[in-house]
Amino acid sequence: MASGWINIETAMDSVKTLTVDTDRFLHLGISVSHMIGVFILTQLLRQISRTVLPKSVYPYVAELLCLYQLTICSLENGLIIYPEYGMVLYAFIMYVLTIGYYVAFDGNGNPCGVFNELIQKRITFPSVSSAAAKMACNVIGGLVALQHIKEFWSVGALDSHLHHVEVMKQPCNSAMKTYVLYGVTAELIATFIVRFVGGLSVGGKRWHKFIFATVVVAVTLTGADYTGMMFNPALATAITSNCVGHPIQEHVLVYWIGPFLATILVVPTLSIVNQSKQQTKRKQPHSHSAVNGSATKHSDNTLKKKTRKRKKYY
């Protein structure tokens, strides 16, 4: 009899454990479905906007949609999935999301990208005003996403959603957990690494997005405890806009000036590296014998074509 009771109790414990696991999978499914839904929604909005809006207007809408998508997914992954499921799943989802952004985005999705475009062309009043408008659209996209998150979470699909809705009604704690100078340095280095790897196109068309996503995850996890590791001024503004112990001048220095300085440094660094690579490739054909002169000439012409294409791409 005693052993029978033990078996029943064991079975009941197993059922409870299975129920808990099922609930965890269900909760994870809701969060993941939310992010997938946002990807689908933004793609539909992109298609509609391209069809309806003038070509001159669409780039600004694209910037808004990129930040809208990025902010929602970052908050869902960072505030809901990370505390409940831990670092490994959080990092994996961030990796998948980054690849998704790489494929889906048709704008910069980052004021640093807009700034990068500006400093590589002739700076005029129209170019500066256009860049400022795109950055403003980035910020607006992040703030709209913040409102979307509050509305979606208030539905109460998850207890953690409701909990964070209540938390967001109060001033949040600053993501910056270090001195201002260290924060500026951290965001500068992070932005430099990510933009350098992105601009260098390591791995070619086939593998670059996977390498880039790996770098983004590694950099984020390395510095998350110091500044939240945003390396995106508009994302930082959306996430930390309601935080206490976070004066506006510190926010601007850490999350705007730091990344912008990194963007300025990346441009000449990439130029030097790319020129060095091109010079190395030009020297290689000359090592062939004179017998292969025609092949060498053909190789040089092909290299010139590739070089021209590469300059257009960057």
PDB file of all heavy atoms in Angstrom, residues 63 66-67 70 107-119 131-140 142 191 195 230-237 255-256 259-260 263:
ATOM      1  N   GLU A  63      13.147  54.473 -41.931  1.00  0.00           N
ATOM      2  CA  GLU A  63      13.893  54.657 -40.684  1.00  0.00           C
ATOM      3  C   GLU A  63      12.985  54.495 -39.467  1.00  0.00           C
ATOM      4  O   GLU A  63      13.366  53.884 -38.460  1.00  0.00           O
ATOM      5  CB  GLU A  63      14.563  56.041 -40.661  1.00  0.00           C
ATOM      6  CG  GLU A  63      15.648  56.242 -41.704  1.00  0.00           C
ATOM      7  CD  GLU A  63      16.838  55.316 -41.511  1.00  0.00           C
ATOM      8  OE1 GLU A  63      17.022  54.757 -40.417  1.00  0.00           O
ATOM      9  OE2 GLU A  63      17.589  55.140 -42.492  1.00  0.00           O
ATOM     10  N   CYS A  66      12.129  50.742 -39.020  1.00  0.00           N
ATOM     11  CA  CYS A  66      13.270  49.953 -38.526  1.00  0.00           C
ATOM     12  C   CYS A  66      13.399  50.065 -37.012  1.00  0.00           C
ATOM     13  O   CYS A  66      13.574  49.058 -36.314  1.00  0.00           O
ATOM     14  CB  CYS A  66      14.563  50.419 -39.197  1.00  0.00           C
ATOM     15  SG  CYS A  66      14.724  49.935 -40.927  1.00  0.00           S
ATOM     16  N   LEU A  67      13.312  51.297 -36.486  1.00  0.00           N
ATOM     17  CA  LEU A  67      13.447  51.484 -35.038  1.00  0.00           C
ATOM     18  C   LEU A  67      12.241  50.947 -34.292  1.00  0.00           C
ATOM     19  O   LEU A  67      12.364  50.425 -33.175  1.00  0.00           O
ATOM     20  CB  LEU A  67      13.672  52.955 -34.720  1.00  0.00           C
ATOM     21  CG  LEU A  67      15.061  53.278 -34.192  1.00  0.00           C
ATOM     22  CD1 LEU A  67      15.351  52.633 -32.856  1.00  0.00           C
ATOM     23  CD2 LEU A  67      16.141  52.868 -35.197  1.00  0.00           C
ATOM     24  N   LEU A  70      12.903  47.181 -34.171  1.00  0.00           N
ATOM     25  CA  LEU A  70      14.053  46.891 -33.317  1.00  0.00           C
ATOM     26  C   LEU A  70      13.729  47.078 -31.835  1.00  0.00           C
ATOM     27  O   LEU A  70      14.079  46.245 -30.994  1.00  0.00           O
ATOM     28  CB  LEU A  70      15.219  47.799 -33.712  1.00  0.00           C
ATOM     29  CG  LEU A  70      16.480  47.768 -32.842  1.00  0.00           C
ATOM     30  CD1 LEU A  70      17.134  46.397 -32.902  1.00  0.00           C
ATOM     31  CD2 LEU A  70      17.465  48.846 -33.280  1.00  0.00           C
ATOM     32  N   GLY A 107      16.316  50.445 -44.269  1.00  0.00           N
ATOM     33  CA  GLY A 107      16.854  51.716 -43.803  1.00  0.00           C
ATOM     34  C   GLY A 107      18.038  51.422 -42.894  1.00  0.00           C
ATOM     35  O   GLY A 107      18.404  50.258 -42.695  1.00  0.00           O
ATOM     36  N   ASN A 108      18.630  52.445 -42.333  1.00  0.00           N
ATOM     37  CA  ASN A 108      19.768  52.237 -41.435  1.00  0.00           C
ATOM     38  C   ASN A 108      19.341  51.636 -40.106  1.00  0.00           C
ATOM     39  O   ASN A 108      20.038  50.806 -39.536  1.00  0.00           O
ATOM     40  CB  ASN A 108      20.489  53.565 -41.178  1.00  0.00           C
ATOM     41  CG  ASN A 108      21.224  54.064 -42.404  1.00  0.00           C
ATOM     42  OD1 ASN A 108      22.251  53.533 -42.787  1.00  0.00           O
ATOM     43  ND2 ASN A 108      20.688  55.101 -43.041  1.00  0.00           N
ATOM     44  N   GLY A 109      18.196  52.090 -39.602  1.00  0.00           N
ATOM     45  CA  GLY A 109      17.744  51.607 -38.305  1.00  0.00           C
ATOM     46  C   GLY A 109      18.630  52.065 -37.170  1.00  0.00           C
ATOM     47  O   GLY A 109      18.609  51.485 -36.085  1.00  0.00           O
ATOM     48  N   ASN A 110      19.413  53.115 -37.391  1.00  0.00           N
ATOM     49  CA  ASN A 110      20.363  53.594 -36.400  1.00  0.00           C
ATOM     50  C   ASN A 110      20.836  54.986 -36.816  1.00  0.00           C
ATOM     51  O   ASN A 110      21.315  55.160 -37.939  1.00  0.00           O
ATOM     52  CB  ASN A 110      21.554  52.632 -36.325  1.00  0.00           C
ATOM     53  CG  ASN A 110      22.471  52.901 -35.156  1.00  0.00           C
ATOM     54  OD1 ASN A 110      22.585  54.042 -34.693  1.00  0.00           O
ATOM     55  ND2 ASN A 110      23.133  51.876 -34.671  1.00  0.00           N
ATOM     56  N   PRO A 111      20.731  55.990 -35.941  1.00  0.00           N
ATOM     57  CA  PRO A 111      21.240  57.318 -36.292  1.00  0.00           C
ATOM     58  C   PRO A 111      22.713  57.319 -36.689  1.00  0.00           C
ATOM     59  O   PRO A 111      23.148  58.182 -37.460  1.00  0.00           O
ATOM     60  CB  PRO A 111      21.023  58.122 -34.990  1.00  0.00           C
ATOM     61  CG  PRO A 111      19.858  57.457 -34.333  1.00  0.00           C
ATOM     62  CD  PRO A 111      20.032  55.990 -34.636  1.00  0.00           C
ATOM     63  N   CYS A 112      23.479  56.342 -36.178  1.00  0.00           N
ATOM     64  CA  CYS A 112      24.893  56.254 -36.568  1.00  0.00           C
ATOM     65  C   CYS A 112      25.031  55.948 -38.056  1.00  0.00           C
ATOM     66  O   CYS A 112      25.939  56.454 -38.727  1.00  0.00           O
ATOM     67  CB  CYS A 112      25.617  55.178 -35.755  1.00  0.00           C
ATOM     68  SG  CYS A 112      25.768  55.586 -34.006  1.00  0.00           S
ATOM     69  N   GLY A 113      24.141  55.121 -38.583  1.00  0.00           N
ATOM     70  CA  GLY A 113      24.157  54.821 -40.013  1.00  0.00           C
ATOM     71  C   GLY A 113      23.809  56.042 -40.833  1.00  0.00           C
ATOM     72  O   GLY A 113      24.410  56.299 -41.885  1.00  0.00           O
ATOM     73  N   VAL A 114      22.828  56.801 -40.365  1.00  0.00           N
ATOM     74  CA  VAL A 114      22.457  58.051 -41.045  1.00  0.00           C
ATOM     75  C   VAL A 114      23.629  59.026 -41.002  1.00  0.00           C
ATOM     76  O   VAL A 114      23.958  59.677 -42.009  1.00  0.00           O
ATOM     77  CB  VAL A 114      21.211  58.676 -40.374  1.00  0.00           C
ATOM     78  CG1 VAL A 114      20.860  60.005 -41.043  1.00  0.00           C
ATOM     79  CG2 VAL A 114      20.028  57.719 -40.434  1.00  0.00           C
ATOM     80  N   PHE A 115      24.266  59.146 -39.845  1.00  0.00           N
ATOM     81  CA  PHE A 115      25.416  60.034 -39.686  1.00  0.00           C
ATOM     82  C   PHE A 115      26.567  59.597 -40.579  1.00  0.00           C
ATOM     83  O   PHE A 115      27.262  60.428 -41.176  1.00  0.00           O
ATOM     84  CB  PHE A 115      25.839  60.041 -38.216  1.00  0.00           C
ATOM     85  CG  PHE A 115      26.964  60.984 -37.904  1.00  0.00           C
ATOM     86  CD1 PHE A 115      26.841  62.340 -38.131  1.00  0.00           C
ATOM     87  CD2 PHE A 115      28.154  60.511 -37.371  1.00  0.00           C
ATOM     88  CE1 PHE A 115      27.872  63.218 -37.833  1.00  0.00           C
ATOM     89  CE2 PHE A 115      29.197  61.374 -37.074  1.00  0.00           C
ATOM     90  CZ  PHE A 115      29.055  62.730 -37.305  1.00  0.00           C
ATOM     91  N   ASN A 116      26.758  58.297 -40.703  1.00  0.00           N
ATOM     92  CA  ASN A 116      27.808  57.751 -41.565  1.00  0.00           C
ATOM     93  C   ASN A 116      27.589  58.161 -43.024  1.00  0.00           C
ATOM     94  O   ASN A 116      28.538  58.542 -43.725  1.00  0.00           O
ATOM     95  CB  ASN A 116      27.832  56.232 -41.446  1.00  0.00           C
ATOM     96  CG  ASN A 116      28.882  55.594 -42.335  1.00  0.00           C
ATOM     97  OD1 ASN A 116      30.071  55.731 -42.112  1.00  0.00           O
ATOM     98  ND2 ASN A 116      28.429  54.897 -43.381  1.00  0.00           N
ATOM     99  N   GLU A 117      26.348  58.090 -43.478  1.00  0.00           N
ATOM    100  CA  GLU A 117      26.019  58.514 -44.842  1.00  0.00           C
ATOM    101  C   GLU A 117      26.306  60.004 -45.027  1.00  0.00           C
ATOM    102  O   GLU A 117      26.793  60.431 -46.073  1.00  0.00           O
ATOM    103  CB  GLU A 117      24.550  58.228 -45.145  1.00  0.00           C
ATOM    104  CG  GLU A 117      24.213  56.750 -45.283  1.00  0.00           C
ATOM    105  CD  GLU A 117      22.739  56.530 -45.554  1.00  0.00           C
ATOM    106  OE1 GLU A 117      21.951  57.497 -45.420  1.00  0.00           O
ATOM    107  OE2 GLU A 117      22.357  55.390 -45.885  1.00  0.00           O
ATOM    108  N   LEU A 118      25.994  60.785 -44.001  1.00  0.00           N
ATOM    109  CA  LEU A 118      26.169  62.237 -44.082  1.00  0.00           C
ATOM    110  C   LEU A 118      27.635  62.624 -44.226  1.00  0.00           C
ATOM    111  O   LEU A 118      27.989  63.441 -45.093  1.00  0.00           O
ATOM    112  CB  LEU A 118      25.580  62.900 -42.838  1.00  0.00           C
ATOM    113  CG  LEU A 118      25.790  64.413 -42.706  1.00  0.00           C
ATOM    114  CD1 LEU A 118      25.059  65.155 -43.822  1.00  0.00           C
ATOM    115  CD2 LEU A 118      25.320  64.902 -41.340  1.00  0.00           C
ATOM    116  N   ILE A 119      28.498  62.040 -43.402  1.00  0.00           N
ATOM    117  CA  ILE A 119      29.906  62.470 -43.393  1.00  0.00           C
ATOM    118  C   ILE A 119      30.689  61.934 -44.590  1.00  0.00           C
ATOM    119  O   ILE A 119      31.817  62.355 -44.823  1.00  0.00           O
ATOM    120  CB  ILE A 119      30.614  62.071 -42.081  1.00  0.00           C
ATOM    121  CG1 ILE A 119      30.615  60.549 -41.898  1.00  0.00           C
ATOM    122  CG2 ILE A 119      29.974  62.767 -40.904  1.00  0.00           C
ATOM    123  CD1 ILE A 119      31.320  60.086 -40.632  1.00  0.00           C
ATOM    124  N   ALA A 131      19.390  64.319 -43.037  1.00  0.00           N
ATOM    125  CA  ALA A 131      19.932  63.412 -42.013  1.00  0.00           C
ATOM    126  C   ALA A 131      19.246  63.644 -40.671  1.00  0.00           C
ATOM    127  O   ALA A 131      18.901  62.685 -39.963  1.00  0.00           O
ATOM    128  CB  ALA A 131      21.436  63.610 -41.888  1.00  0.00           C
ATOM    129  N   ALA A 132      19.042  64.912 -40.314  1.00  0.00           N
ATOM    130  CA  ALA A 132      18.376  65.237 -39.047  1.00  0.00           C
ATOM    131  C   ALA A 132      16.951  64.698 -39.031  1.00  0.00           C
ATOM    132  O   ALA A 132      16.474  64.173 -38.016  1.00  0.00           O
ATOM    133  CB  ALA A 132      18.380  66.746 -38.827  1.00  0.00           C
ATOM    134  N   ALA A 133      16.262  64.803 -40.180  1.00  0.00           N
ATOM    135  CA  ALA A 133      14.891  64.298 -40.270  1.00  0.00           C
ATOM    136  C   ALA A 133      14.850  62.778 -40.128  1.00  0.00           C
ATOM    137  O   ALA A 133      13.955  62.227 -39.466  1.00  0.00           O
ATOM    138  CB  ALA A 133      14.276  64.721 -41.607  1.00  0.00           C
ATOM    139  N   LYS A 134      15.826  62.091 -40.718  1.00  0.00           N
ATOM    140  CA  LYS A 134      15.882  60.634 -40.589  1.00  0.00           C
ATOM    141  C   LYS A 134      16.166  60.203 -39.152  1.00  0.00           C
ATOM    142  O   LYS A 134      15.583  59.242 -38.646  1.00  0.00           O
ATOM    143  CB  LYS A 134      16.954  60.064 -41.530  1.00  0.00           C
ATOM    144  CG  LYS A 134      16.562  60.093 -42.995  1.00  0.00           C
ATOM    145  CD  LYS A 134      17.661  59.503 -43.873  1.00  0.00           C
ATOM    146  CE  LYS A 134      17.258  59.532 -45.340  1.00  0.00           C
ATOM    147  NZ  LYS A 134      18.327  58.992 -46.227  1.00  0.00           N
ATOM    148  N   MET A 135      17.072  60.935 -38.487  1.00  0.00           N
ATOM    149  CA  MET A 135      17.351  60.632 -37.080  1.00  0.00           C
ATOM    150  C   MET A 135      16.110  60.861 -36.222  1.00  0.00           C
ATOM    151  O   MET A 135      15.828  60.094 -35.293  1.00  0.00           O
ATOM    152  CB  MET A 135      18.512  61.492 -36.574  1.00  0.00           C
ATOM    153  CG  MET A 135      19.859  61.139 -37.171  1.00  0.00           C
ATOM    154  SD  MET A 135      21.173  62.188 -36.497  1.00  0.00           S
ATOM    155  CE  MET A 135      22.500  61.872 -37.666  1.00  0.00           C
ATOM    156  N   ALA A 136      15.381  61.925 -36.530  1.00  0.00           N
ATOM    157  CA  ALA A 136      14.141  62.200 -35.795  1.00  0.00           C
ATOM    158  C   ALA A 136      13.138  61.067 -36.000  1.00  0.00           C
ATOM    159  O   ALA A 136      12.449  60.648 -35.054  1.00  0.00           O
ATOM    160  CB  ALA A 136      13.537  63.533 -36.263  1.00  0.00           C
ATOM    161  N   CYS A 137      13.078  60.544 -37.218  1.00  0.00           N
ATOM    162  CA  CYS A 137      12.199  59.405 -37.506  1.00  0.00           C
ATOM    163  C   CYS A 137      12.646  58.169 -36.731  1.00  0.00           C
ATOM    164  O   CYS A 137      11.804  57.377 -36.268  1.00  0.00           O
ATOM    165  CB  CYS A 137      12.175  59.118 -39.001  1.00  0.00           C
ATOM    166  SG  CYS A 137      11.276  60.342 -39.976  1.00  0.00           S
ATOM    167  N   ASN A 138      13.957  57.979 -36.587  1.00  0.00           N
ATOM    168  CA  ASN A 138      14.473  56.890 -35.750  1.00  0.00           C
ATOM    169  C   ASN A 138      13.935  57.004 -34.331  1.00  0.00           C
ATOM    170  O   ASN A 138      13.417  56.035 -33.760  1.00  0.00           O
ATOM    171  CB  ASN A 138      16.000  56.925 -35.703  1.00  0.00           C
ATOM    172  CG  ASN A 138      16.667  56.412 -36.960  1.00  0.00           C
ATOM    173  OD1 ASN A 138      17.794  56.792 -37.271  1.00  0.00           O
ATOM    174  ND2 ASN A 138      16.013  55.543 -37.702  1.00  0.00           N
ATOM    175  N   VAL A 139      14.067  58.192 -33.756  1.00  0.00           N
ATOM    176  CA  VAL A 139      13.633  58.408 -32.369  1.00  0.00           C
ATOM    177  C   VAL A 139      12.125  58.221 -32.246  1.00  0.00           C
ATOM    178  O   VAL A 139      11.638  57.567 -31.307  1.00  0.00           O
ATOM    179  CB  VAL A 139      14.051  59.812 -31.887  1.00  0.00           C
ATOM    180  CG1 VAL A 139      13.473  60.095 -30.502  1.00  0.00           C
ATOM    181  CG2 VAL A 139      15.571  59.937 -31.861  1.00  0.00           C
ATOM    182  N   ILE A 140      11.375  58.768 -33.193  1.00  0.00           N
ATOM    183  CA  ILE A 140       9.918  58.629 -33.165  1.00  0.00           C
ATOM    184  C   ILE A 140       9.517  57.157 -33.257  1.00  0.00           C
ATOM    185  O   ILE A 140       8.624  56.693 -32.542  1.00  0.00           O
ATOM    186  CB  ILE A 140       9.272  59.439 -34.308  1.00  0.00           C
ATOM    187  CG1 ILE A 140       9.442  60.936 -34.056  1.00  0.00           C
ATOM    188  CG2 ILE A 140       7.787  59.099 -34.451  1.00  0.00           C
ATOM    189  CD1 ILE A 140       9.110  61.809 -35.255  1.00  0.00           C
ATOM    190  N   GLY A 142      11.183  54.581 -32.221  1.00  0.00           N
ATOM    191  CA  GLY A 142      11.430  53.951 -30.928  1.00  0.00           C
ATOM    192  C   GLY A 142      10.382  54.314 -29.896  1.00  0.00           C
ATOM    193  O   GLY A 142       9.925  53.459 -29.119  1.00  0.00           O
ATOM    194  N   THR A 191      30.339  50.492 -30.597  1.00  0.00           N
ATOM    195  CA  THR A 191      29.874  50.981 -31.898  1.00  0.00           C
ATOM    196  C   THR A 191      30.953  50.816 -32.956  1.00  0.00           C
ATOM    197  O   THR A 191      30.662  50.422 -34.097  1.00  0.00           O
ATOM    198  CB  THR A 191      29.471  52.468 -31.795  1.00  0.00           C
ATOM    199  OG1 THR A 191      28.496  52.622 -30.761  1.00  0.00           O
ATOM    200  CG2 THR A 191      28.890  52.967 -33.108  1.00  0.00           C
ATOM    201  N   ARG A 195      30.271  48.525 -36.242  1.00  0.00           N
ATOM    202  CA  ARG A 195      30.229  49.201 -37.535  1.00  0.00           C
ATOM    203  C   ARG A 195      31.423  48.818 -38.397  1.00  0.00           C
ATOM    204  O   ARG A 195      31.323  48.750 -39.626  1.00  0.00           O
ATOM    205  CB  ARG A 195      30.166  50.718 -37.355  1.00  0.00           C
ATOM    206  CG  ARG A 195      28.888  51.175 -36.657  1.00  0.00           C
ATOM    207  CD  ARG A 195      28.578  52.625 -36.945  1.00  0.00           C
ATOM    208  NE  ARG A 195      28.294  52.813 -38.364  1.00  0.00           N
ATOM    209  CZ  ARG A 195      27.131  52.531 -38.945  1.00  0.00           C
ATOM    210  NH1 ARG A 195      26.129  52.040 -38.232  1.00  0.00           N
ATOM    211  NH2 ARG A 195      26.958  52.739 -40.231  1.00  0.00           N
ATOM    212  N   MET A 230      23.942  49.593 -25.994  1.00  0.00           N
ATOM    213  CA  MET A 230      22.947  49.897 -27.033  1.00  0.00           C
ATOM    214  C   MET A 230      23.583  50.049 -28.414  1.00  0.00           C
ATOM    215  O   MET A 230      23.056  49.561 -29.403  1.00  0.00           O
ATOM    216  CB  MET A 230      22.210  51.194 -26.679  1.00  0.00           C
ATOM    217  CG  MET A 230      21.720  51.287 -25.248  1.00  0.00           C
ATOM    218  SD  MET A 230      20.237  50.345 -24.961  1.00  0.00           S
ATOM    219  CE  MET A 230      19.904  50.758 -23.252  1.00  0.00           C
ATOM    220  N   PHE A 231      24.698  50.796 -28.496  1.00  0.00           N
ATOM    221  CA  PHE A 231      25.338  51.260 -29.735  1.00  0.00           C
ATOM    222  C   PHE A 231      24.322  51.677 -30.803  1.00  0.00           C
ATOM    223  O   PHE A 231      24.514  51.487 -31.994  1.00  0.00           O
ATOM    224  CB  PHE A 231      26.380  50.277 -30.286  1.00  0.00           C
ATOM    225  CG  PHE A 231      25.998  48.819 -30.336  1.00  0.00           C
ATOM    226  CD1 PHE A 231      25.333  48.281 -31.414  1.00  0.00           C
ATOM    227  CD2 PHE A 231      26.354  47.980 -29.278  1.00  0.00           C
ATOM    228  CE1 PHE A 231      25.011  46.944 -31.467  1.00  0.00           C
ATOM    229  CE2 PHE A 231      26.032  46.630 -29.325  1.00  0.00           C
ATOM    230  CZ  PHE A 231      25.350  46.106 -30.415  1.00  0.00           C
ATOM    231  N   ASN A 232      23.234  52.268 -30.309  1.00  0.00           N
ATOM    232  CA  ASN A 232      22.182  52.815 -31.176  1.00  0.00           C
ATOM    233  C   ASN A 232      21.505  53.949 -30.401  1.00  0.00           C
ATOM    234  O   ASN A 232      20.716  53.689 -29.481  1.00  0.00           O
ATOM    235  CB  ASN A 232      21.174  51.732 -31.541  1.00  0.00           C
ATOM    236  CG  ASN A 232      20.139  52.203 -32.549  1.00  0.00           C
ATOM    237  OD1 ASN A 232      19.682  53.346 -32.507  1.00  0.00           O
ATOM    238  ND2 ASN A 232      19.747  51.333 -33.452  1.00  0.00           N
ATOM    239  N   PRO A 233      21.812  55.208 -30.710  1.00  0.00           N
ATOM    240  CA  PRO A 233      21.288  56.326 -29.931  1.00  0.00           C
ATOM    241  C   PRO A 233      19.764  56.359 -29.819  1.00  0.00           C
ATOM    242  O   PRO A 233      19.232  56.665 -28.742  1.00  0.00           O
ATOM    243  CB  PRO A 233      21.808  57.550 -30.689  1.00  0.00           C
ATOM    244  CG  PRO A 233      23.054  57.068 -31.371  1.00  0.00           C
ATOM    245  CD  PRO A 233      22.756  55.652 -31.756  1.00  0.00           C
ATOM    246  N   ALA A 234      19.059  56.068 -30.913  1.00  0.00           N
ATOM    247  CA  ALA A 234      17.599  56.131 -30.884  1.00  0.00           C
ATOM    248  C   ALA A 234      17.017  55.020 -30.009  1.00  0.00           C
ATOM    249  O   ALA A 234      16.038  55.237 -29.277  1.00  0.00           O
ATOM    250  CB  ALA A 234      17.043  56.024 -32.307  1.00  0.00           C
ATOM    251  N   LEU A 235      17.594  53.838 -30.066  1.00  0.00           N
ATOM    252  CA  LEU A 235      17.154  52.736 -29.209  1.00  0.00           C
ATOM    253  C   LEU A 235      17.382  53.093 -27.743  1.00  0.00           C
ATOM    254  O   LEU A 235      16.524  52.852 -26.890  1.00  0.00           O
ATOM    255  CB  LEU A 235      17.910  51.451 -29.566  1.00  0.00           C
ATOM    256  CG  LEU A 235      17.596  50.211 -28.715  1.00  0.00           C
ATOM    257  CD1 LEU A 235      16.148  49.782 -28.906  1.00  0.00           C
ATOM    258  CD2 LEU A 235      18.546  49.069 -29.071  1.00  0.00           C
ATOM    259  N   ALA A 236      18.532  53.680 -27.444  1.00  0.00           N
ATOM    260  CA  ALA A 236      18.843  54.091 -26.074  1.00  0.00           C
ATOM    261  C   ALA A 236      17.857  55.140 -25.578  1.00  0.00           C
ATOM    262  O   ALA A 236      17.415  55.101 -24.422  1.00  0.00           O
ATOM    263  CB  ALA A 236      20.266  54.633 -26.005  1.00  0.00           C
ATOM    264  N   THR A 237      17.486  56.074 -26.448  1.00  0.00           N
ATOM    265  CA  THR A 237      16.530  57.115 -26.069  1.00  0.00           C
ATOM    266  C   THR A 237      15.170  56.514 -25.752  1.00  0.00           C
ATOM    267  O   THR A 237      14.522  56.880 -24.768  1.00  0.00           O
ATOM    268  CB  THR A 237      16.399  58.158 -27.194  1.00  0.00           C
ATOM    269  OG1 THR A 237      17.665  58.803 -27.379  1.00  0.00           O
ATOM    270  CG2 THR A 237      15.350  59.205 -26.854  1.00  0.00           C
ATOM    271  N   TYR A 255      25.258  57.909 -25.002  1.00  0.00           N
ATOM    272  CA  TYR A 255      24.506  57.172 -26.026  1.00  0.00           C
ATOM    273  C   TYR A 255      24.430  57.863 -27.387  1.00  0.00           C
ATOM    274  O   TYR A 255      24.001  57.234 -28.370  1.00  0.00           O
ATOM    275  CB  TYR A 255      23.097  56.874 -25.519  1.00  0.00           C
ATOM    276  CG  TYR A 255      23.088  55.968 -24.308  1.00  0.00           C
ATOM    277  CD1 TYR A 255      22.698  56.434 -23.062  1.00  0.00           C
ATOM    278  CD2 TYR A 255      23.503  54.639 -24.419  1.00  0.00           C
ATOM    279  CE1 TYR A 255      22.694  55.598 -21.956  1.00  0.00           C
ATOM    280  CE2 TYR A 255      23.505  53.801 -23.321  1.00  0.00           C
ATOM    281  CZ  TYR A 255      23.103  54.281 -22.093  1.00  0.00           C
ATOM    282  OH  TYR A 255      23.113  53.450 -20.987  1.00  0.00           O
ATOM    283  N   TRP A 256      24.848  59.130 -27.467  1.00  0.00           N
ATOM    284  CA  TRP A 256      24.857  59.827 -28.749  1.00  0.00           C
ATOM    285  C   TRP A 256      26.278  60.223 -29.167  1.00  0.00           C
ATOM    286  O   TRP A 256      26.723  59.827 -30.245  1.00  0.00           O
ATOM    287  CB  TRP A 256      23.935  61.058 -28.693  1.00  0.00           C
ATOM    288  CG  TRP A 256      22.482  60.708 -28.752  1.00  0.00           C
ATOM    289  CD1 TRP A 256      21.696  60.305 -27.709  1.00  0.00           C
ATOM    290  CD2 TRP A 256      21.634  60.684 -29.907  1.00  0.00           C
ATOM    291  NE1 TRP A 256      20.405  60.040 -28.136  1.00  0.00           N
ATOM    292  CE2 TRP A 256      20.339  60.272 -29.480  1.00  0.00           C
ATOM    293  CE3 TRP A 256      21.831  60.987 -31.256  1.00  0.00           C
ATOM    294  CZ2 TRP A 256      19.271  60.154 -30.362  1.00  0.00           C
ATOM    295  CZ3 TRP A 256      20.756  60.868 -32.140  1.00  0.00           C
ATOM    296  CH2 TRP A 256      19.507  60.453 -31.689  1.00  0.00           C
ATOM    297  N   PRO A 259      28.799  56.945 -29.658  1.00  0.00           N
ATOM    298  CA  PRO A 259      28.610  56.254 -30.935  1.00  0.00           C
ATOM    299  C   PRO A 259      28.932  57.104 -32.162  1.00  0.00           C
ATOM    300  O   PRO A 259      29.448  56.600 -33.159  1.00  0.00           O
ATOM    301  CB  PRO A 259      27.115  55.873 -30.904  1.00  0.00           C
ATOM    302  CG  PRO A 259      26.812  55.733 -29.461  1.00  0.00           C
ATOM    303  CD  PRO A 259      27.610  56.821 -28.797  1.00  0.00           C
ATOM    304  N   PHE A 260      28.635  58.414 -32.117  1.00  0.00           N
ATOM    305  CA  PHE A 260      28.943  59.275 -33.259  1.00  0.00           C
ATOM    306  C   PHE A 260      30.453  59.423 -33.448  1.00  0.00           C
ATOM    307  O   PHE A 260      30.946  59.444 -34.581  1.00  0.00           O
ATOM    308  CB  PHE A 260      28.290  60.645 -33.088  1.00  0.00           C
ATOM    309  CG  PHE A 260      26.846  60.699 -33.506  1.00  0.00           C
ATOM    310  CD1 PHE A 260      26.141  59.541 -33.789  1.00  0.00           C
ATOM    311  CD2 PHE A 260      26.171  61.906 -33.620  1.00  0.00           C
ATOM    312  CE1 PHE A 260      24.811  59.571 -34.176  1.00  0.00           C
ATOM    313  CE2 PHE A 260      24.843  61.958 -34.015  1.00  0.00           C
ATOM    314  CZ  PHE A 260      24.161  60.786 -34.290  1.00  0.00           C
ATOM    315  N   THR A 263      31.623  56.349 -35.123  1.00  0.00           N
ATOM    316  CA  THR A 263      31.266  56.360 -36.547  1.00  0.00           C
ATOM    317  C   THR A 263      32.270  57.177 -37.346  1.00  0.00           C
ATOM    318  O   THR A 263      32.672  56.785 -38.449  1.00  0.00           O
ATOM    319  CB  THR A 263      29.846  56.940 -36.728  1.00  0.00           C
ATOM    320  OG1 THR A 263      28.925  56.175 -35.947  1.00  0.00           O
ATOM    321  CG2 THR A 263      29.424  56.885 -38.195  1.00  0.00           C
TER     322      THR A 263
END
